[in-house]
Amino acid sequence: MSFRDYEPVDLANAGFKIHQLESLEKDNIENAFAGYVDEVLGKINDGKEATVYLCRGGASTTAPLLAAKVFKARNFRNFSNDHSYRNFSKHKDRRMAKAMRGRSRKGEKAFHQDWVKSEWQNLTRLHEAGIRVPEPVALFPDGVLMEFIGNDAGPAPRLVNCKLTNQAAHTTASLLMRDIEKMLSIHMVHGDLSAYNILYHNDQPVIIDVPQAMDLRTTPDAWSIMHRDLGNLENCFRRLGTDISFMQLLDNY
Ligand SMILES: Nc1ncnc2c1ncn2[C@@H]1O[C@H](COP(=O)(O)OP(=O)(O)OP(=O)(O)O)[C@@H](O)[C@H]1O
Ligand SMILES: [Mg+2]
């Protein structure tokens, strides 16, 4: 397994804090990822759907630092994320699909595990296709361990928090275009692509947050979602002062 070298990046606009952890939470995460994680160093982000922790790698990995993305338990009543429901229909176990549709506790648990597994499988597929995503390291019941994108100074900033020169914006857009071409070649749509789900590290974009990614050939509304993703990228680069057509990539599919 090879990990990228860590080089210093300018975190001036990062907007990140490594939050302090309660000792119980720290112990829970260290136990949940035993072997792969020696120590939880802090919380990188506490979002609606997941918490991401910065961890020191343990004996089972050569990575010095890891990001642990731990998914929160699902509460169906508060959960209206359209693309997430797609999983119901594709579940192979019909009884489980029914439990999910009925929104029972068993269904919630199965849904949660499906979601964690989706992040892992999509990350693996994207990484194997040579797309810049964090390298997947290990799958656990509550979350996924992956390459930490950042360095000793902290996590890489999200693209939305970066001010790029015109040239850097062009280079970044070209790299993302190549990534999307590769995604199209494996028929994948990210499904939530925007400047919030792209980190900027060593002058390069790294795409994150992939549990909702889908197959263009088998997901009914995947094309409109792909259009939305590409539209988000065009808006993001327009804000950075660069007019780039990402939609043109679809002409070659
Ligand atoms: N591999 C990583 N290396 C460094 N930082 C990461 C990594 N993965 C995620 N992060 C940080 O954690 C944040 C949340 O991760 P992600 O987008 O995957 O989860 P999320 O469920 O969408 O969270 P949110 O609800 O806050 O958007 C990212 O915006 C990024 O700042
Ligand atoms: Mg996100």
Side-chain angles (χ1 to χ4, degrees):
M1 205 178 281
S2 70
F3 283 86
R4 297 187 185 102
D5 291 335
Y6 297 111
E7 281 176 26
V9 287
D10 178 11
L11 292 169
N13 294 311
F16 288 104
K17 266 189 233 123
I18 302 287
H19 305 279
Q20 290 301 310
L21 281 184
E22 300 279 343
S23 66
L24 183 63
E25 187 177 3
K26 187 170 149 76
D27 287 352
N28 282 345
I29 301 302
E30 284 166 7
N31 289 335
F33 297 103
Y36 281 87
V37 164
D38 257 1
E39 191 190 355
V40 177
L41 301 170
K43 223 182 260 187
I44 300 173
N45 186 270
D46 199 357
K48 267 198 301 252
E49 301 198 356
T51 308
V52 181
Y53 299 91
L54 173 62
C55 307
R56 201 148 44 77
S60 305
T61 171
T62 54
L65 292 173
L66 293 168
K69 181 169 177 179
V70 177
F71 289 81
K72 294 184 177 173
R74 293 276 161 172
N75 180 337
F76 281 144
R77 269 164 309 189
N78 298 335
F79 188 53
S80 58
N81 197 344
D82 60 355
H83 45 241
S84 310
Y85 287 109
R86 215 179 310 280
N87 275 12
F88 291 149
S89 54
K90 74 173 190 202
H91 211 282
K92 287 187 193 73
D93 180 336
R94 277 167 59 199
R95 265 189 314 176
M96 204 49 89
K98 197 172 161 209
M100 282 177 168
R101 271 196 303 277
R103 302 184 180 197
S104 64
R105 186 166 294 183
K106 191 171 152 204
E108 280 195 2
K109 195 166 169 220
F111 187 78
H112 177 256
Q113 278 165 2
D114 262 21
W115 204 238
V116 177
K117 218 158 73 187
S118 268
E119 171 97 30
W120 171 259
Q121 286 170 341
N122 293 332
L123 211 51
T124 304
R125 259 188 95 195
L126 292 163
H127 184 257
E128 281 172 3
I131 294 151
R132 264 171 289 265
V133 292
E135 185 170 346
V137 173
L139 169 66
F140 283 85
D142 288 329
V144 170
L145 279 180
M146 63 183 94
E147 176 188 10
F148 168 67
I149 306 298
N151 57 27
D152 293 346
R158 295 181 290 190
L159 198 52
V160 70
N161 297 113
C162 294
K163 283 195 183 114
L164 303 186
T165 62
N166 204 263
Q167 198 192 338
H170 263 104
T171 309
T172 304
S174 312
L175 292 171
L176 281 170
M177 279 181 148
R178 237 180 286 159
D179 281 337
I180 287 159
E181 275 166 357
K182 287 179 190 164
M183 273 191 217
L184 285 168
S185 76
I186 55 167
H187 316 286
M188 263 181 106
V189 185
H190 181 287
D192 194 14
L193 200 54
S194 76
Y196 289 89
N197 281 331
I198 299 171
L199 301 182
Y200 189 66
H201 183 51
N202 291 343
D203 302 328
Q204 297 195 352
V206 180
I207 295 170
I208 59 164
D209 202 5
V210 299
Q212 69 289 319
M214 66 206 79
D215 194 307
L216 260 175
R217 297 162 300 181
T218 53
T219 317
D221 48 353
W223 273 103
S224 66
I225 293 168
M226 184 70 174
H227 274 94
R228 189 181 64 191
D229 277 3
L230 298 182
N232 287 343
L233 289 185
E234 288 183 1
N235 288 339
C236 158
F237 281 94
R238 211 165 294 129
R239 269 198 304 275
L240 289 168
T242 310
D243 229 344
I244 288 170
S245 166
F246 281 84
M247 296 292 176
Q248 64 171 342
L249 295 171
L250 299 179
D251 297 344
N252 304 324
Y253 180 70

